[in-house]
Amino acid sequence: MRPLLTMTLLLALGCGARPIPGVVERRPGETLTHIPGPMPNFGSFQTYSDALLAACPKILSLPHAVASHPSDFNFELRWRLSKEYCAWIYYTPDGLYEMSMLTTRPFQDDPRRRQCDLPSFVRDSRYADDSLGYVFVVHNHPVGNEPSRDDIRFIVNQGSIHGFVVKTHEREVPLGIVAYFARTDQGRPTCAGFFLYMPVTGEILKWTTDENGEWKKKHYGKVTWKNASDFDVERLP
């Protein structure tokens, strides 16, 4: 590795060691059973769509949340430093949507992928634990790829704990997992859209936004379970 690149990497790693406001990192050997909520200075929201759209730039603006494209300059360094952050969008007894604090994984055990450590439960001191509705898991994908097989398995496991549909004042909302991706605007990452997988429908949707803020939905794929532990993903044309 070239000396300048080495120095850049060391400086970036040193900066990454600082606590990030709103982000909880487990210590080595620690297990997180709950994630605190709500995220300070973020919500509340009257609709789940408002909460989803607000979470996108919030998460993508965090340190090393975006690694750019594999063909871009310095991608290898960006990938090594990249982090995946995740949180719950949850529904409260007051009829509002909140986002929990975020969590990430301090050490990655597989250099080919990025993961975060999201507990199954939110602890919001304003409400009883069993009064919260779990609506979406939201997280970033540093290179903007589709939901991983681990993502799909994780949200199905969460559905077995919390249920696959949440009753809200709007309507019944299917549980889902969201993966945000970015584009670079004048050297800064901005929200380009997200993938959404919902176990109830089996659909993978891809939402994208253009430079004018207009949103467009595409039916990206379909997940079909072959048995309790294995599934196929069909990508639609």
Side-chain angles (χ1 to χ4, degrees):
M1 186 181 286
R2 289 172 294 178
L4 179 59
L5 188 59
T6 304
M7 180 62 70
T8 303
L9 176 60
L10 290 174
L11 288 173
L13 286 172
C15 292
R18 300 173 186 168
I20 304 171
V23 177
V24 176
E25 284 195 19
R26 65 175 174 85
R27 294 183 291 271
E30 179 185 21
T31 300
L32 296 176
T33 59
H34 294 78
I35 187 76
M39 170 67 71
N41 304 315
F42 179 73
S44 305
F45 297 92
Q46 296 283 343
T47 68
Y48 66 83
S49 56
D50 286 344
L52 282 180
L53 297 184
C56 187
K58 175 73 172 179
I59 294 176
L60 293 175
S61 67
L62 293 170
H64 309 302
V66 178
S68 70
H69 190 272
S71 62
D72 291 347
F73 175 73
N74 253 1
F75 172 75
E76 182 180 351
L77 172 61
R78 292 176 180 270
W79 174 253
R80 289 184 186 181
L81 296 174
S82 66
K83 288 179 175 287
E84 190 173 282
Y85 301 91
C86 50
W88 278 104
I89 299 291
Y90 61 99
Y91 184 71
T92 74
D94 292 330
L96 298 172
Y97 297 88
E98 301 276 11
M99 185 170 75
S100 73
M101 294 181 69
L102 290 144
T103 182
T104 186
R105 180 174 290 189
F107 303 102
Q108 298 294 326
D109 53 13
D110 186 338
R112 299 167 298 177
R113 60 182 181 175
R114 290 294 176 264
Q115 295 176 291
C116 47
D117 291 322
L118 184 64
S120 296
F121 299 95
V122 175
R123 179 152 290 161
D124 187 325
S125 61
R126 300 171 299 173
Y127 309 106
D129 289 351
D130 60 2
S131 69
L132 303 178
Y134 293 80
V135 187
F136 297 110
V137 171
V138 292
H139 69 310
N140 64 300
H141 277 183
V143 294
N145 49 321
E146 66 189 50
S148 68
R149 297 184 72 85
D150 286 342
D151 290 340
I152 292 169
R153 288 194 175 95
F154 179 79
I155 198 62
V156 169
N157 288 338
Q158 297 309 303
S160 67
I161 296 171
H162 300 297
F164 290 95
V165 175
V166 180
K167 292 183 179 180
T168 76
H169 71 277
E170 295 181 274
R171 61 182 180 89
E172 291 189 341
V173 182
L175 175 75
I177 188 165
V178 169
Y180 295 118
F181 54 89
R183 64 170 164 265
T184 301
D185 183 11
Q186 297 182 348
R188 299 171 58 186
T190 60
C191 179
F194 58 89
F195 291 97
L196 168 62
Y197 167 62
M198 297 171 291
V200 165
T201 65
E203 288 183 300
I204 300 176
L205 303 176
K206 185 178 183 181
W207 287 87
T208 53
T209 180
D210 61 23
E211 294 178 354
N212 296 320
E214 297 292 328
W215 284 91
K216 181 180 178 181
K217 179 177 73 172
K218 175 184 177 182
H219 291 268
Y220 179 85
K222 183 82 173 178
V223 176
T224 303
W225 287 85
K226 297 187 289 186
N227 52 54
S229 60
D230 195 17
F231 57 88
D232 291 323
V233 179
E234 176 189 2
R235 293 163 185 84
L236 303 177

